[in-house]
Amino acid sequence: MSDFGGQGGAGEAALTRGAALLNGDAPASCLLDGPLDPCAIVIFGASGDLTARKLIPALYNLFINQGLPEAFLVVGAARTAMGDEQFRDKMREALGRHQNLDEARWPEFARRLHYQELDYDQDDSYAALAQRLEYLCREQGVGGNRVFNLAIPPQLYATVARGLGRAGLAGEERGWARLVVEKPFGHDLASAEELDRAIAEAFQEHQVFRIDHYLAKETVQNVLLLRFANAIFEPLWNRNYVDHVIIMATETLGVEHRAGYYEKAGVLRDMFQNHMMQLLSLIAMEPPSRYGADRVRDEKTKVFRSLRPFPVDHVYDHLVLGQYGEGRIKGKPAPAYRAEPEVAGDSLSPTFALMRAFVDNWRWQGVPFYLVSGKRLQAKRTRMVIQFKEVPHSLFRETLGEHISANRLTLGVHPEEDITLTFQTKNPGARLCLRSVKMLFDYKQGHEGPLLDAYEKALLDCMLGDHMLFWRQDGIALTWSYLDPILRRCESCDQRAGRLHVYPAGSWGPPEAGRLLPAWPGAAQ
Ligand code: NDP
């Protein structure tokens, strides 16, 4: 990774340190090249699900693996009345539910956890938070660097960003101040731009870290290394050799506790505007001249800009929408989406989508990109499939009398973290016949150091000031510009109900998906 170099300044330092952390040969005690800047991490919405399930476990794991600064503290902030001790107990319980807790080290971590009651729309609350931060940071030698993490419902993002601004907490006179924003980044282009304007009243773009935790997955980061640190793939990575690309993210889970949000969002807003578009950009982008946050994000932006405007007059020729009905998941009965708590009995929110997109540029002209995501499907599977073209002429045709399958490169993201190349060989024996075989690389193979989970990597990069794995606002605006007309057309269509195909939970989605992409279901096992 050192061959890539950085962009200079903070970005370069961040990159070098980030790269060192991922070095499998490094013992846990020297995970980082140098010390991280001391900082205070403020989590808004600290009484909620994201804090307990993702953020605190991520911080705890970083702490255990020497991935946090020597001097750090965490302040949880929310409306719920709680004291420091109660907050610590709640976090300890949450950690115990999700992983093994190191009893000996817990007190060391716990004493850095604090809680501050706060009304999101009250200036007094931010003044009190500022005072408490000042006091705690002085007492614990933490200095003036701050991370503000918004683990609150999206309708509060603008309120909190403005509140921080008015309280002087967004200023960088005495250290850096960074704002971490979770998806969703608006629910359409207009609301995304409005949110950006509200954030920009207090924070500058370099201070804003818009998380897409898919980007922080090891196997997703690896896409650029696979493509650009090897000479053998790139010559084939274009319309001359690639027949189509499939990017899929399927789940067996249903809507769980997120019905309130999901009813308004549906799968296109929930998965396509963010994760699916990011994966597409990594597969489709041109090599940047250097591996630096803005250069990589520039190339991604060019991909978004090259997306062929969706043919909305024939929207359902290129898009299949579905909603799960009753079925069975792993042998157990699963309810229909419309029977889930807080879901309307006549809901038209899609829980499955298969979309055919095109990237109109020299490299990808004419190559379909199939993006598929859905809930309550047969398997949890995130992967990118590069389907190569068939051989132009089969000299074995007369002997074999059989079709020769084309090569396929599969980049497994989750749960399989692997790379598989499928190709043809001769089947041993006197008769000439073919068999498809797979060459497999398991991503964890040969690695013994700690592996960073996506939230750990994202939080660490935020502390390092490295924007590589975060969204830039221009990318958000472009992806919404692409999706908005599709959403408008689907949501106002007279035949909306008829175009939403019900599929049994535990299947691979509606059969109509197979008409758009014959290789579906499940994009080959
Ligand atoms: P929660 O619904 O658990 O809300 C977090 C906290 O926000 C609550 O504990 C509550 O704290 C406060 N809150 C909730 N509703 C309101 C309201 N109407 N008005 C004021 N305060 C409210 O959210 P999550 O923790 O699940 O998610 C936080 C953010 O992260 C969301 O934007 C979500 O979209 C995003 N996200 C979540 C993921 C997850 O796995 N949970 C994954 C990816 C993104 P209190 O009442 O104490 O103030």
Side-chain angles (χ1 to χ4, degrees), residues 255 259 262-266 322-324 336-340 342-351 496-497 500-502:
V255 71
Y262 204 84
E263 272 284 86
K264 287 189 217 120
Q323 188 189 71
Y324 63 84
Y337 176 71
R338 290 178 184 179
E340 299 271 20
E342 293 178 57
V343 172
D346 56 354
S347 170
L348 293 177
S349 278
T351 60
R496 191 176 172 192
L500 186 68
H501 307 286
V502 174

Side-chain angles (χ1 to χ4, degrees), residues 469-481:
L469 305 179
F470 297 85
W471 275 93
R472 206 168 59 185
Q473 179 59 23
D474 54 356
I476 289 178
L478 284 164
T479 47
W480 275 126
S481 306

Side-chain angles (χ1 to χ4, degrees), residues 409-421:
L409 184 70
T410 303
L411 313 183
V413 173
H414 192 84
E416 295 93 8
E417 299 183 307
D418 57 16
I419 299 173
T420 315
L421 180 65

